[in-house]
């Protein structure tokens, strides 16, 4: 379909689009399996990767309003997945911490995916692996620059 939108696209670009789509679909399947929305699942993943975040920081990462992030945190807190803790230096703020049992449960779901990706990467010869790694880092940088 991407080739229909922009004729002459590189097959690499088409493959990247397929990977991005597959990644979104995987996230949606995992979220549905956990009885959560994709946004809730993404929020838990962000807290795992970045550590405790304020609701406004979480909103920025998710691309949602701070009011929506507050509702999201309320929902995750009610489910026992996160807890609000007073900010260590600013008493007016709170930070959202991921519950350790939730962290372990989420990692158990994602670990097979990560292991499969790691195995596929290890199948590449070392010199090709470095080329792919460098290109993916460049791609991530390019994506981060767009709205």
């Amino acid at each position: 379909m991407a080739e229909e939108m922009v004729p002459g696209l590189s097959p690499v670009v088409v493959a990247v689009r397929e990977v991005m789509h597959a990644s979104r679909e995987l996230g949606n399947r995992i979220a549905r399996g956990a009885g959560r929305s994709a946004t809730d699942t993404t929020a838990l993943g962000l807290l795992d990767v970045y550590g405790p975040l304020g609701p406004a920081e979480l909103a920025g990462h998710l691309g949602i309003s701070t009011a929506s992030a507050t509702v999201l945190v309320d929902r995750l807190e009610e489910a026992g997945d996160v807890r609000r803790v007073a900010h260590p230096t600013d008493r007016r703020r709170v930070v959202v911490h991921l519950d350790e049992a939730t962290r372990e449960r989420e990692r158990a779901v994602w670990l097979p995916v990560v292991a499969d990706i790691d195995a596929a990467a290890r199948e590449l010869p070392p010199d090709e692996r470095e080329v792919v790694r460098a290109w993916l880092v460049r791609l991530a940088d390019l994506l981060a620059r767009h709205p």
Side-chain angles (χ1 to χ4, degrees):
M1 179 155 166
E3 17 338 291
E4 296 166 8
M5 294 173 15
V6 182
L9 280 178
S10 160
V12 173
V13 173
V14 174
V16 167
R17 183 175 180 271
E18 291 171 4
V19 168
M20 292 170 74
H21 177 72
S23 177
R24 274 191 304 274
E25 288 300 311
L26 173 63
N28 289 336
R29 286 192 309 275
I30 287 174
R32 279 192 305 273
R36 291 192 197 99
S37 72
T39 303
D40 289 5
T41 298
T42 301
L44 295 174
L46 289 167
L47 292 168
D48 188 28
V49 170
Y50 294 111
L53 297 170
E57 294 168 301
L58 199 53
H61 283 292
L62 293 168
I64 62 176
S65 69
T66 52
S68 294
T70 298
V71 171
L72 178 145
V73 171
D74 289 344
R75 186 170 52 246
L76 293 176
E77 189 173 42
E78 186 175 315
D81 293 323
V82 302
R83 67 187 188 290
R84 288 179 170 97
V85 176
H87 189 280
T89 60
D90 185 345
R91 294 165 44 119
R92 299 167 295 173
R93 295 182 56 210
V94 297
V95 289
V96 181
H97 287 254
L98 183 60
D99 177 74
E100 194 57 39
T102 300
R103 178 187 324 278
E104 290 174 19
R105 195 169 47 252
E106 290 296 303
R107 286 183 177 182
V109 170
W110 286 99
L111 185 60
V113 176
V114 173
D116 283 350
I117 294 169
D118 186 61
R122 290 176 188 279
E123 290 174 2
L124 294 168
D127 56 330
E128 290 181 23
R129 199 178 313 150
E130 178 52 30
V131 169
V132 171
R133 187 205 62 77
W135 191 80
L136 289 171
V137 167
R138 182 171 178 219
L139 179 60
D141 182 56
L142 290 170
L143 291 173
R145 289 193 251 152
H146 289 273

